[in-house]
Amino acid sequence: MKNMLKKINVTIWNEFRHEKTNSAVKKLYPEGLHKAIADGISAEDLNIRLASLDEPEHGLTEDVVSSTDVLLWWGHCAHGEVKDEIVKRVHKRVLEGMGLIVLHSGHFSKIFKTLMGTSCSLKWREAGEKERLWNIEPSHPISQGIGEYFELPHTEMYGERFDIPQDGKIIFISWFEGGEVFRSGVALERGHGKLFYFSPGHETYSIYYDQNVLRVIGNAVRWANPLIYQAHTAPNAQPPEVIQGIPPAAQS
Ligand code: ZN
């Protein structure tokens, strides 16, 4: 029987600058960390495209955005170079239903800050220390296949307080060797769109080759795949019931 499964259209967006300017990052992610993620989560049900900052319209043309079900976002040193019109386009599409997965330093991206409405600030330290990610929602689709916790031997510390709104569902809490803790996996909704922030992923560590990290990202893609797309309008409404004592012509 023919497989009628509709593939999920995934676009992995990467700033793609460190890989060109820093030889250590280039060695670790020769084709960009977006390519490493694409290879790592590759599966039959996913149709994956790559996009990056230096392409026309940052690779996020109207056509690309309107045909993306789930967008992944990695940015760091060039958040300010992302054009506001592109941020607006992505924002609108998220509110209509598109899923968005924001990775690591994407916490300071324009799109994440727009969607959160807060500063999204946090503490950080680059000491290559151990991180233990505790899976505190084992029944959530995003944490399937992950045990009680998993560890990354060398990571950048991201610590509390993380200035995001409190309406997200915390899936992972990280503990760092140096002592800090962090909400490292948070699932949120904005409009009809589902969002997942996932903090591991500093460009000088081999984090996007880690099987647990890739599993979480793959799970998040499937969770964030929209069930509906719906534009937001503000219609003047006819009542579904007759309002007693009001002439029909005045009932809207
Ligand atoms: Zn980093």
Side-chain angles (χ1 to χ4, degrees):
M1 206 180 120
K2 201 176 160 212
N3 184 1
M4 299 299 281
L5 184 75
K6 184 195 167 287
K7 290 193 178 201
I8 304 172
N9 290 312
V10 180
T11 302
I12 306 180
W13 190 90
N14 178 15
E15 185 181 277
F16 202 20
R17 287 278 176 84
H18 294 299
E19 296 94 328
K20 294 170 184 165
T21 56
N22 179 324
S23 57
V25 180
K26 195 176 184 165
K27 201 173 162 204
L28 194 54
Y29 296 110
E31 294 173 88
L33 55 85
H34 50 341
K35 179 69 165 60
I37 296 170
D39 291 346
I41 66 169
S42 165
E44 266 222 330
D45 60 330
L46 306 181
N47 179 25
I48 302 176
R49 285 181 293 199
L50 304 180
S52 57
L53 181 67
D54 293 328
E55 293 171 46
E57 300 185 49
H58 311 322
L60 297 172
T61 61
E62 197 69 65
D63 274 359
V64 169
V65 172
S66 64
S67 62
T68 295
D69 296 314
V70 182
L71 177 65
L72 277 68
W73 195 279
W74 196 101
H76 180 221
C77 62
H79 293 315
E81 290 181 46
V82 178
K83 291 190 196 107
D84 291 340
E85 64 186 88
I86 306 298
V87 176
K88 222 170 155 181
R89 181 182 291 164
V90 171
H91 182 231
K92 178 171 176 280
R93 195 62 179 161
V94 169
L95 298 183
E96 289 171 353
M98 182 176 74
L100 179 70
I101 297 167
V102 176
L103 298 167
H104 190 59
S105 39
H107 73 92
F108 262 167
S109 62
K110 287 183 181 178
I111 184 61
F112 191 59
K113 291 202 282 189
T114 301
L115 285 158
M116 295 300 99
T118 53
S119 76
C120 301
S121 61
L122 47 75
K123 270 184 205 148
W124 63 280
R125 173 174 63 242
E126 241 188 280
E129 68 207 87
K130 183 163 86 177
E131 175 177 3
R132 181 178 297 140
L133 292 95
W134 288 94
N135 170 10
I136 66 161
E137 285 298 341
S139 63
H140 197 278
I142 292 178
S143 59
Q144 294 313 294
I146 301 294
E148 192 178 16
Y149 65 81
F150 70 96
E151 292 178 349
L152 297 168
H154 302 290
T155 190
E156 177 181 14
M157 187 281 293
Y158 270 12
E160 298 286 346
R161 185 175 179 264
F162 185 20
D163 187 33
I164 54 169
Q166 300 287 355
D167 63 313
K169 184 160 198 163
I170 304 167
I171 314 292
F172 294 103
I173 294 178
S174 280
W175 166 89
F176 293 86
E177 207 173 338
E180 287 87 353
V181 295
F182 190 67
R183 287 166 285 169
S184 45
V186 182
L188 300 118
E189 290 175 21
R190 289 294 181 270
H192 301 305
K194 296 193 190 80
L195 266 81
F196 182 58
Y197 174 76
F198 191 45
S199 65
H202 188 66
E203 66 277 5
T204 57
Y205 304 117
S206 56
I207 285 168
Y208 293 122
Y209 296 109
D210 181 272
Q211 289 309 305
N212 287 307
V213 168
L214 292 167
R215 181 180 281 264
V216 170
I217 294 172
N219 287 348
V221 165
R222 291 164 181 101
W223 167 80
N225 184 30
L227 298 174
I228 61 153
Y229 279 109
Q230 200 168 84
H232 294 276
T233 58
N236 178 239
Q238 291 289 328
E241 306 290 337
V242 175
I243 303 169
Q244 298 302 323
I246 309 278
Q251 297 204 5
S252 67

